[in-house]
Amino acid sequence: MPIATSSDRLILSSEKKTEELAIKLQKKLKTGDIIFLYGEMGVGKTTFIRYLINEFQKKNKITLTEVTSPTFNIMNEYYINHIKVNHYDLFRLKSSQETKNLGLFENRLSSINLVEWPQIIDKKPKNLIELIFEYDDDHQKRKVQIKGINL
């Protein structure tokens, strides 16, 4: 897989390529990082997050857990030794005021926050990593644009 710069678009021609991207990103992440994941439904945001969290678990010799979208409960937490990963899905929220009640960026230095459907957030945090997932024209392949980190 090619090295991504802060604005590269990578073709995700298979689920294996999505897993490879998650492995590369996992090696760069640290507590305090926030990742916004954009893209329409079914484009692979949650699949990417599953591979990312499972890679943290593998590296820490922890049993792999099922990683599902927190669409209905808005947030799932994963404790991986000294790392806490918060997985947010803001799809059901109607206003930016609702995001303030979640405490999205409180205690951010002690966790990694993954946020699906972040469009509703008014003010982007500093040191943000953004992944923009898109379908190709024929919907057979996907691509991702990466902003805010070099892989």
Side-chain angles (χ1 to χ4, degrees):
M1 179 177 241
I3 301 297
T5 63
S6 62
S7 62
D8 272 349
R9 287 184 192 267
L10 300 176
I11 301 297
L12 300 175
S13 56
S14 66
E15 197 167 314
K16 182 68 176 161
K17 293 289 185 189
T18 302
E19 181 181 18
E20 290 171 4
L21 176 60
I23 291 168
K24 284 185 180 280
L25 185 59
Q26 182 276 327
K27 292 175 183 175
K28 298 273 189 166
L29 292 179
K30 60 192 176 314
T31 55
D33 286 338
I34 298 172
I35 302 175
F36 281 5
L37 297 99
Y38 300 90
E40 61 186 279
M41 207 170 285
V43 77
K45 298 180 301 292
T46 303
T47 299
F48 172 81
I49 289 172
R50 180 181 77 232
Y51 283 123
L52 183 66
I53 290 171
N54 285 165
E55 187 62 22
F56 271 112
Q57 292 168 330
K58 285 179 198 175
K59 296 288 183 195
N60 286 279
K61 296 177 175 54
I62 294 175
T63 303
L64 302 185
T65 58
E66 183 177 0
V67 176
T68 59
S69 177
T71 301
F72 295 104
N73 54 345
I74 300 177
M75 196 243 310
N76 290 338
E77 294 176 320
Y78 300 89
Y79 292 91
I80 305 162
N81 287 346
H82 63 283
I83 301 168
K84 178 182 169 191
V85 179
N86 297 317
H87 176 196
Y88 294 92
D89 185 327
L90 307 182
F91 181 75
R92 294 184 325 124
L93 300 185
K94 303 294 183 221
S95 74
S96 62
Q97 184 60 38
E98 290 179 278
T99 65
K100 293 175 182 146
N101 298 335
L102 293 175
L104 275 171
F105 308 123
E106 293 174 12
N107 303 317
R108 72 174 263 196
L109 296 179
S110 63
S111 63
I112 295 171
N113 291 310
L114 311 172
V115 184
E116 294 187 60
W117 303 97
Q119 296 88 329
I120 199 166
I121 297 172
D122 286 336
K123 186 178 176 188
K124 290 183 181 181
K126 293 180 181 178
N127 302 322
L128 176 65
I129 299 166
E130 295 177 291
L131 302 179
I132 300 116
F133 290 84
E134 302 172 305
Y135 284 112
D136 253 352
D137 293 335
D138 61 3
H139 282 266
Q140 298 303 310
K141 293 180 183 172
R142 294 171 292 114
K143 56 189 170 187
V144 63
Q145 182 178 7
I146 302 166
K147 296 180 179 181
I149 193 168
N150 291 319
L151 295 182

